[in-house]
Amino acid sequence: MIEPKKFWWMIKKELISLKRHPARLVSILAFPIIMILLFGYGMGGEMTDLPIVVVSQSHGDLTDLTLDTIKSTETYHVVEVIDDLDEGKERVDNAEVKAAIILPSDYDDDSSHQKGVTLYLDSSDQMAAQILESSTQGIFYRLSNMVAAQTSVSTKDADIEPSISHSLNNFKDDISLHINRIYGNIKYIDFLVPAILGMTIMMSCMMGMGATIAGERETGELARLFMTPTSVSTVIGGKIAAKLLIELVRALILIFMAVLLFNVSIKGGFLQTFIVLVIGALCFVGFGIMLSARTQTQEDYAQISLPFSMPMMFVSGVFYPIETMPWILQKLAYIFPLTYLNDAMRGIMLKGQTLGDVWFDLVVLLGFTLLFFIIGVKRFNRDV
């Protein structure tokens, strides 16, 4: 039977205990706010202002109308209108923009029966590519109608919605659109798997390392271990090596199951994918050490790590492209290491890039790794 007076004492004890752990208290209060913001703004918002270039090799009324229509469509952010075809393609190849819309030299030529336009598209970003493809087809379907009917409309009247339906099968193609998907047809599962691999490594490294160190500190095992004639660096180094070995085995299993179950192709090669995952695992092991260096219990560590791990899951482009988020979250994404791991993984697996092509992402990850280990070891030294 519950004793009311002692029952309230127990509630008071738990609240006082929470007060003595300010980091846990802040996490409990802040975490719901963070999550509702991420769900509201980070999960599949409208995709607008996707960066593109327009390669215009023609001049005339139709070209001007087309440029005005493209610029007035919210889907696009026209970075520049240029006339160099090779430069336009190079910008897409280097991921500076998502696509290049190429208007040929005979686009305004009345003697040309069919006007061919090319959408040179970075198809590795599956969702952005789908939106760009649909929007561009809608624009040129409308313009093709206008040309066929020989009507004259204003730019305002030519406003095109990105979601416009398009069916050119039964229509005379006065303007034909050719779509060049430079990385082939990418399915959503192909887009998702590289980031899921990175996210799984992040979660297992952070949670596993924190549980090991914080848990051993809570039970007193860590203190007894440091009483032996063993240096702090040896203890931490051994834990890092063991955790990294476990994560490498996990990474191998993840890659194998992705290929076996979902027929995911690894265009850049298995070895390069594995190396990127190793660097990512080392980075997040360091992150776990840094966060767990001063936490006294596993519960404290869980509460402290969640405000870091959950935002990374939603903001770093795991499930949806970063372009779907408000600009402030887009900027925030680039202070999280998972963003760079996802970018490197997709570059290797979807685009067939080499380690040299994703060198910037790897350098950033190694920089984070060094920072995390320096902070973690120094905090450990003070804690001991």
Side-chain angles (χ1 to χ4, degrees), residues 287-305:
F287 204 168
I289 289 175
M290 181 184 70
L291 292 180
S292 64
R294 303 290 288 183
T295 52
Q296 300 300 317
T297 67
Q298 291 192 57
E299 185 178 357
D300 284 345
Y301 178 80
Q303 293 294 339
I304 292 172
S305 63

Side-chain angles (χ1 to χ4, degrees), residues 36 50 57 61 67 87 116 142 156 168 184 189 193 196 201 245 255 289 295 298 300-301 322 340 354 365 372:
I36 195 66
L50 295 171
Q57 299 177 316
D61 293 337
L67 292 176
E87 180 186 348
R142 177 73 65 86
K156 180 178 179 181
L168 302 179
I189 188 65
V193 165
I196 290 295
I201 289 295
L245 180 61
I255 295 173
I289 289 175
T295 52
Q298 291 192 57
D300 284 345
Y301 178 80
I322 294 174
Y340 300 95
T354 65
L365 285 172
F372 295 153

Side-chain angles (χ1 to χ4, degrees), residues 251-312:
L252 288 172
I253 295 173
L254 286 171
I255 295 173
F256 175 75
M257 295 305 293
V259 173
L260 180 66
L261 296 178
F262 302 109
N263 196 30
V264 172
S265 61
I266 304 177
K267 296 181 179 179
F270 175 85
L271 179 60
Q272 296 190 99
T273 302
F274 184 70
I275 291 172
V276 172
L277 282 178
V278 169
I279 295 173
L282 191 60
C283 178
F284 289 110
V285 165
F287 204 168
I289 289 175
M290 181 184 70
L291 292 180
S292 64
R294 303 290 288 183
T295 52
Q296 300 300 317
T297 67
Q298 291 192 57
E299 185 178 357
D300 284 345
Y301 178 80
Q303 293 294 339
I304 292 172
S305 63
L306 280 176
F308 291 97
S309 59
M310 295 302 289
M312 275 196 278

Side-chain angles (χ1 to χ4, degrees), residues 52-73 76 78 80-82 101 103 107-108 139-140 143 155:
I52 68 166
V53 294
V54 179
V55 180
S56 178
Q57 299 177 316
S58 64
H59 302 280
D61 293 337
L62 181 58
T63 298
D64 293 339
L65 176 61
T66 302
L67 292 176
D68 288 339
T69 303
I70 292 172
K71 290 177 180 179
S72 66
T73 303
Y76 308 115
V78 180
E80 192 175 358
V81 178
I82 58 178
I101 298 176
L103 307 179
Y107 186 68
D108 253 286
I139 285 175
F140 286 102
L143 290 171
T155 300

Side-chain angles (χ1 to χ4, degrees), residues 63-284:
T63 298
D64 293 339
L65 176 61
T66 302
L67 292 176
D68 288 339
T69 303
I70 292 172
K71 290 177 180 179
S72 66
T73 303
E74 290 185 354
T75 303
Y76 308 115
H77 167 58
V78 180
V79 175
E80 192 175 358
V81 178
I82 58 178
D83 58 10
D84 190 328
L85 177 61
D86 293 333
E87 180 186 348
K89 290 184 175 181
E90 186 178 355
R91 289 194 181 189
V92 180
D93 294 338
N94 294 337
E96 295 177 27
V97 294
K98 297 290 184 182
I101 298 176
I102 303 169
L103 307 179
S105 57
D106 62 350
Y107 186 68
D108 253 286
D109 187 354
D110 293 337
S111 64
S112 175
H113 174 68
Q114 190 177 72
K115 307 172 188 304
V117 176
T118 299
L119 175 65
Y120 191 77
L121 184 63
D122 178 357
S123 56
S124 66
D125 191 339
Q126 188 265 347
M127 296 185 70
Q130 190 176 42
I131 294 295
L132 285 170
E133 184 175 329
S134 175
S135 185
T136 307
Q137 285 178 323
I139 285 175
F140 286 102
Y141 169 63
R142 177 73 65 86
L143 290 171
S144 187
N145 264 312
M146 289 158 47
V147 171
Q150 295 182 350
T151 58
S152 175
V153 297
S154 67
T155 300
K156 180 178 179 181
D157 295 332
D159 185 31
I160 306 293
E161 293 294 331
S163 60
I164 187 172
S165 61
H166 49 274
S167 176
L168 302 179
N169 295 332
N170 299 319
F171 187 80
K172 178 184 176 182
D173 285 338
D174 293 275
I175 302 176
S176 65
L177 178 66
H178 173 67
I179 301 172
N180 185 354
R181 304 174 185 88
I182 62 176
Y183 300 113
N185 289 315
I186 303 293
K187 304 185 296 292
Y188 181 61
I189 188 65
D190 296 320
F191 171 80
L192 191 61
V193 165
I196 290 295
L197 292 173
M199 184 189 71
T200 304
I201 289 295
M202 176 203 74
M203 295 296 293
S204 60
C205 287
M206 288 181 62
M207 295 305 169
M209 204 68 204
T212 298
I213 295 176
E216 289 185 1
R217 180 180 287 112
E218 186 177 5
T219 60
E221 293 178 38
L222 196 61
R224 290 193 295 271
L225 188 59
F226 286 145
M227 290 178 185
T228 65
T230 307
S231 66
V232 174
S233 58
T234 300
V235 173
I236 297 177
K239 289 183 177 296
I240 292 170
K243 188 61 181 175
L244 194 57
L245 180 61
I246 294 171
E247 294 310 322
L248 296 186
V249 174
R250 192 194 301 265
L252 288 172
I253 295 173
L254 286 171
I255 295 173
F256 175 75
M257 295 305 293
V259 173
L260 180 66
L261 296 178
F262 302 109
N263 196 30
V264 172
S265 61
I266 304 177
K267 296 181 179 179
F270 175 85
L271 179 60
Q272 296 190 99
T273 302
F274 184 70
I275 291 172
V276 172
L277 282 178
V278 169
I279 295 173
L282 191 60
C283 178
F284 289 110

